[in-house]
């Protein structure tokens, strides 16, 4: 492979085939490190473009396996307009059994395509991009949905994997400094490991490991669900009587009773109410979508305002446009620093008639 130091200026058919580059996870991590605020701003702008219709975000496709029912691989195609002008596809797998084998549950790659000629221009390691855009979306929602009031001082995490770690990083990187941080996981080892991460990351709030989800929820003003749950496991609305803000990142933790007792904000209504997410199960139960107040973009634009006397739940399905926008941002950053690893001759047969 050859390293190059310039971004192709959107080459199309008239200027030839663009080079194809590979960007490693280390390069992605280096591009994103310490730039949480910039990434959150990018996610906010991408939500605005999506709200304006300047994106294409088809439904995700789920590849499931009869012999491995807990595992799946998801394809998220997307196109982003505005200044991004890039198309792409994220291919992300979730194999929960990996954890017992000592490797991460999820892995992913992101393919970026040139907007004009359609040729792929890069393949990026995308588990970090996936975690970063998810965390940035959560951090953005935490601020937008809490607009006008003080930030919660008691933050709790249910589920303690990579996504939880990134959400904490993005909250801290955008100025959150809670007095207390609660931790709960079905695996005591995972909970202890996450507590160790928080301590190494310099968390100044008092860290408490909770034995039950109920204890954590009742003692938190901001609750982050980042589990691998495939169906609701939290059913009692009374646990939320103090009306916390809930970042329901993992989408399938809450029963329809809790969803109906709360104000619900999503990233995209049609995308979120499918694939048996908690909002989708709620729609199936009641036969309508009136329990959804609107999208995060609606709140950002001032079209809707969550009431303060109810629990507010943000359920982001995870839009592919966020992956493409952030992937392009990483690609451009790596190119500017001369780090693109171009695969020479990747596109071989380029003559129409041989």
């Amino acid at each position: 492979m050859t390293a190059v130091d310039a971004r192709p200026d959107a080459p199309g058919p008239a200027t030839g085939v663009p080079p194809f580059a590979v960007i490693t996870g280390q390069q992605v991590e280096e591009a994103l490190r310490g730039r949480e605020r910039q990434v959150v701003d990018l996610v906010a702008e991408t939500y605005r473009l999506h709200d304006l219709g300047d994106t294409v975000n088809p439904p995700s496709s789920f590849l499931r396996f009869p012999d491995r029912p807990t595992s799946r691989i998801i394809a998220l195609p997307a196109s982003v307009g505005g200044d991004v002008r890039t198309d792409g596809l994220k291919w992300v797998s979730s194999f929960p059994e990996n954890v017992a084998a000592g490797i991460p549950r999820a892995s992913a790659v992101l393919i970026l395509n040139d907007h004009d000629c359609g040729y792929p221009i890069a393949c990026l390691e995308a588990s970090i991009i996936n975690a970063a855009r998810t965390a940035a979306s959560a951090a953005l929602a935490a601020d937008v949905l809490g607009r006008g009031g003080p930030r919660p001082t008691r933050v709790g995490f249910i589920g303690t994997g990579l996504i939880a770690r990134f959400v904490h990083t993005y909250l801290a990187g955008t100025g959150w400094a809670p007095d207390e941080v609660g931790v709960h996981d079905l695996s005591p080892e995972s909970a202890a490991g996450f507590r160790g991460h928080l301590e190494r990351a310099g968390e100044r709030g008092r860290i408490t490991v909770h034995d039950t989800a109920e204890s954590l929820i009742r003692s938190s003003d901001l609750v982050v669900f980042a589990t691998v749950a495939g169906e609701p496991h939290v059913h009692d609305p009374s646990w939320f009587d103090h009306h916390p803000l809930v970042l329901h990142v993992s989408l399938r933790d809450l029963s329809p009773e809790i969803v109906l007792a709360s104000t619900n904000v999503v990233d995209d209504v049609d995308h979120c109410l499918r694939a048996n997410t908690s909002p989708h199960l709620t729609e199936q139960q009641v036969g309508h979508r009136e329990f959804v107040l609107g999208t995060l973009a609606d709140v950002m634009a001032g079209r809707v305002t969550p009431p303060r006397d109810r629990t507010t739940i943000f359920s982001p399905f995870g839009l592919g446009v966020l992956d493409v926008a952030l992937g392009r941002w990483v690609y451009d950053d790596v190119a500017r620093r001369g780090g693109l690893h171009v695969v020479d001759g990747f596109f071989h047969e380029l003559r129409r008639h041989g």
Side-chain angles (χ1 to χ4, degrees):
M1 293 191 296
T2 303
V4 299
D5 59 2
R7 164 188 169 178
D9 290 324
T15 57
V17 173
F20 181 78
V22 174
I23 298 176
T24 68
Q26 180 178 347
Q27 289 178 297
V28 173
E29 195 277 333
E30 290 171 351
L32 296 176
R33 186 187 303 142
R35 301 166 92 174
E36 290 84 13
R37 173 49 62 188
Q38 291 170 266
V39 176
V40 170
D41 290 344
L42 175 69
V43 166
E45 178 58 26
T46 306
Y47 277 143
R48 292 187 186 97
L49 288 174
H50 186 65
D51 185 53
L52 293 170
D54 200 5
T55 64
V56 181
N57 201 109
S60 304
S61 294
F62 288 72
L63 177 62
R64 299 185 183 275
F65 315 97
D67 61 327
R68 292 159 287 166
T70 64
S71 300
R72 65 192 182 192
I73 307 179
I74 310 173
L76 290 84
S79 176
V80 184
D83 294 332
V84 180
R85 296 185 75 250
T86 304
D87 314 319
L89 171 76
K90 184 176 72 174
W91 182 240
V92 54
S93 69
S94 174
F95 280 53
E97 301 303 321
N98 285 355
V99 176
I103 61 176
R105 170 187 62 85
S107 60
V109 294
L110 174 67
I111 301 295
L112 299 180
N113 292 72
D114 180 82
H115 183 78
D116 294 315
C117 70
Y119 270 77
I121 60 173
C123 176
L124 298 83
E125 196 285 329
S127 65
I128 297 172
I129 288 174
N130 179 71
R133 65 85 153 145
T134 301
S137 171
L140 174 67
D143 275 335
V144 169
L145 298 177
R147 183 178 295 166
R151 282 178 165 175
T153 60
R154 303 181 301 168
V155 177
F157 291 86
I158 297 180
T160 57
L162 180 70
I163 298 299
R165 173 155 60 89
F166 267 74
V167 172
H168 176 264
T169 297
Y170 272 74
L171 290 174
T174 52
W176 286 70
D179 297 330
E180 302 176 30
V181 178
V183 176
H184 172 69
D185 196 287
L186 293 179
S187 165
E189 294 80 9
S190 294
F194 188 60
R195 176 173 190 157
H197 161 74
L198 296 177
E199 292 170 345
R200 291 189 300 273
E203 174 57 56
R204 296 184 178 181
R206 183 172 69 254
I207 303 170
T208 303
V209 176
H210 293 260
D211 293 333
T212 66
E214 178 182 3
S215 171
L216 181 139
I217 292 167
R218 289 187 182 276
S219 62
S220 301
D221 305 309
L222 173 68
V223 181
V224 180
F225 283 92
T227 74
V228 295
E231 59 185 26
H233 57 97
V234 177
H235 299 273
D236 191 341
S238 72
W239 295 3
F240 301 84
D241 281 348
H242 58 301
H243 303 316
L245 173 59
V246 179
L247 303 179
H248 190 202
V249 175
S250 39
L251 286 174
R252 295 172 177 84
D253 304 88
L254 304 176
S255 70
E257 291 74 21
I258 292 172
V259 172
L260 291 171
S262 306
T263 296
N264 294 277
V265 177
V266 300
D267 53 358
D268 181 288
V269 176
D270 288 334
H271 283 81
C272 190
L273 273 69
R274 63 188 301 266
N276 288 328
T277 64
S278 292
H280 186 210
L281 294 178
T282 304
E283 179 189 29
Q284 294 175 60
Q285 178 172 301
V286 300
H288 61 75
R289 298 179 170 184
E290 296 174 8
F291 57 88
V292 178
L293 177 69
T295 66
L296 188 62
D298 287 329
V299 181
M300 292 165 59
R303 292 189 290 266
V304 298
T305 301
R308 296 201 172 278
D309 59 350
R310 285 167 61 89
T311 297
T312 296
I313 302 173
F314 176 58
S315 299
F317 192 77
L319 302 179
V321 293
L322 300 183
D323 298 287
V324 170
L326 184 54
R328 185 73 208 217
W329 188 84
V330 169
Y331 174 89
D332 291 344
D333 183 79
V334 173
R336 278 192 297 268
R337 292 188 283 111
L340 284 182
H341 299 295
V342 170
V343 181
D344 297 322
F346 184 82
F347 299 109
H348 175 63
E349 184 51 81
L350 301 174
R351 294 173 298 177
R352 183 177 183 186
H353 299 296

